[in-house]
Amino acid sequence: MVVSSAPGKVYLFGEHAVVYGEPAVPCAIERRARVTAEARDDGRIRVHAEDLSLNGFTVEYSDETDAPDVDASESLVEAGISYIDAAVEQAREAAGEPDAGFDITVESEIPLGAGLGSSAAVTAAGIDAGTRELGVELTAEEVAERAYQAELEVQDGEASRADTFCSATGGAVRVEGDDCRSIEAPDLPFVIGFDGGAGDTGKLVAGVRALREEYDFAADTVGNIGDIVRSGEEALAEGNVEELGKLMNFNHGLLEALGVSSRSLDQMVWAARDAGALGAKLTGAGGGGCIVALDPTDATETALGYTPGCEDAFRAELDTDGVRVEEA
Ligand code: MEV
């Protein structure tokens, strides 16, 4: 039996614009998905999900055509197992054991679909645990590549490398197209606010694409986000956290202009700023889900606790560890 874990992430800068070739800076956070893999001889896969921020469920199946018999809605089950399925395929392929069966348990501290990279963390941890259980050790870069391939498959060819690379390697990352690299970052005092919801990434990305095609100034807005990211990289290199906060505020304003914020996200952003956060913005696709603020004090977390529309607020420091084995 092997247990591996991988971190979720926030976007310090650059979501949506990254889809059009601008750079983005995701950062891993100390909120992890843990996947336990135990080989079984009969080639079947049993998945038990402890808390994908949904009610737990257990599914047993042998392949995609074998309809799982579970007491949960189909979409919930599909959301939970499609990434695990793709991770198992990658682990089988990496180990050259196409018929390997597994008992898989997923425990996640990362809310699903909320902009914190839950699927990438589950996928990276699943690939690491599955391959190790079959006696093969992959590097973090190899896990990142396989996790990206798994996400591409599940998301019908629409995935950026940002989430999976960040989850596999940890720390702060610069992504531009296929080029992903780790970058230096000072201590980043992240505070997360979660509205309990989730946006529809596909719809939100399509909305920005349509705006960009219709209006030149929307295309300029996307380009301006790229400029913010480039300035943000300088601030990161200088360790200038105040400047990072200002640039986050700017980035949120442009995302809002592109129509991907929401009332609850804006309320949380403003609550954080009013509490004295250095900066605050939505993270991920938007539409609902999470904001990220920078605040070394307790003020933002406390204020978010009293903010209508905020279901959960917590501190999540930058996690310099990527995918790692917890038990073998
Ligand atoms: C979603 O987490 C981030 C987006 O930029 C989409 C993507 O990069 O695939 C909105």
Side-chain angles (χ1 to χ4, degrees):
M1 185 198 77
V2 175
V3 185
S4 295
S5 75
K9 63 102 199 28
V10 291
Y11 271 96
L12 190 58
F13 305 113
E15 55 274 88
H16 283 288
V18 71
V19 174
Y20 308 98
E22 299 293 347
V25 178
C27 295
I29 54 166
E30 286 177 348
R31 279 255 156 163
R32 290 189 161 252
R34 287 162 56 95
V35 176
T36 305
E38 186 157 19
R40 47 192 282 170
D41 307 330
D42 60 4
R44 288 178 71 80
I45 299 163
R46 180 177 174 280
V47 179
H48 177 67
E50 286 288 319
D51 57 334
L52 287 161
S53 88
L54 303 161
N55 296 326
F57 57 83
T58 301
V59 196
E60 186 164 332
Y61 59 104
S62 54
D63 62 52
E64 281 157 35
T65 55
D66 177 12
D69 177 19
V70 280
D71 181 19
S73 82
E74 216 173 285
S75 61
L76 183 154
V77 173
E78 272 173 22
I81 66 173
S82 52
Y83 290 98
I84 297 159
D85 225 11
V88 164
E89 269 319 306
Q90 289 292 332
R92 285 168 161 168
E93 192 187 290
E97 293 200 37
D99 300 322
F102 290 99
D103 278 328
I104 301 275
T105 300
V106 181
E107 298 157 275
S108 179
E109 306 165 340
I110 312 163
L112 268 183
L116 300 184
S118 57
S119 57
V122 167
T123 307
I127 291 170
D128 195 65
T131 45
R132 283 176 190 271
E133 176 68 2
L134 297 178
V136 173
E137 267 184 44
L138 301 179
T139 63
E141 285 71 21
E142 287 168 331
V143 172
E145 178 58 32
R146 289 193 172 273
Y148 171 61
Q149 295 302 330
E151 282 214 335
L152 269 185
E153 195 188 307
V154 177
Q155 295 166 200
D156 295 327
E158 286 276 350
S160 77
R161 291 181 178 272
D163 287 22
T164 39
F165 189 85
C166 190
S167 204
T169 60
V173 165
R174 180 189 196 274
V175 181
E176 187 170 0
D178 283 344
D179 181 43
C180 301
R181 57 187 74 175
S182 298
I183 56 175
E184 290 297 317
D187 272 352
L188 295 170
F190 291 132
V191 180
I192 313 271
F194 176 39
D195 70 3
D200 181 333
T201 302
K203 250 191 190 159
L204 290 151
V205 169
V208 172
R209 188 182 297 280
L211 276 180
R212 204 173 153 266
E213 280 164 12
E214 189 173 355
Y215 300 108
D216 286 348
F217 51 79
D220 291 345
T221 302
V222 169
N224 289 338
I225 292 177
D227 294 337
I228 291 175
V229 181
R230 284 179 276 272
S231 298
E233 283 176 66
E234 283 170 29
L236 272 172
E238 290 159 5
N240 188 342
V241 184
E242 277 83 14
E243 179 70 5
L244 289 172
K246 278 191 212 163
L247 294 168
M248 286 168 75
N249 286 337
F250 221 128
N251 195 162
H252 181 77
L254 297 187
L255 289 167
E256 211 279 324
L258 291 172
V260 297
S261 192
S262 71
R263 186 178 295 270
S264 55
L265 293 175
D266 286 344
Q267 273 168 338
M268 292 192 287
V269 161
W270 277 106
R273 291 176 187 164
D274 287 346
L278 300 170
K281 63 181 279 294
L282 68 81
T283 172
C290 290
I291 66 131
V292 55
L294 284 183
D295 190 349
T297 78
D298 292 338
T300 294
E301 196 179 340
T302 305
L304 285 172
Y306 292 104
T307 303
C310 179
E311 190 158 288
D312 196 12
F314 52 90
R315 183 168 287 289
E317 303 288 342
L318 180 71
D319 195 339
T320 49
D321 264 4
V323 68
R324 68 177 182 226
V325 61
E326 302 282 349
E327 269 177 68

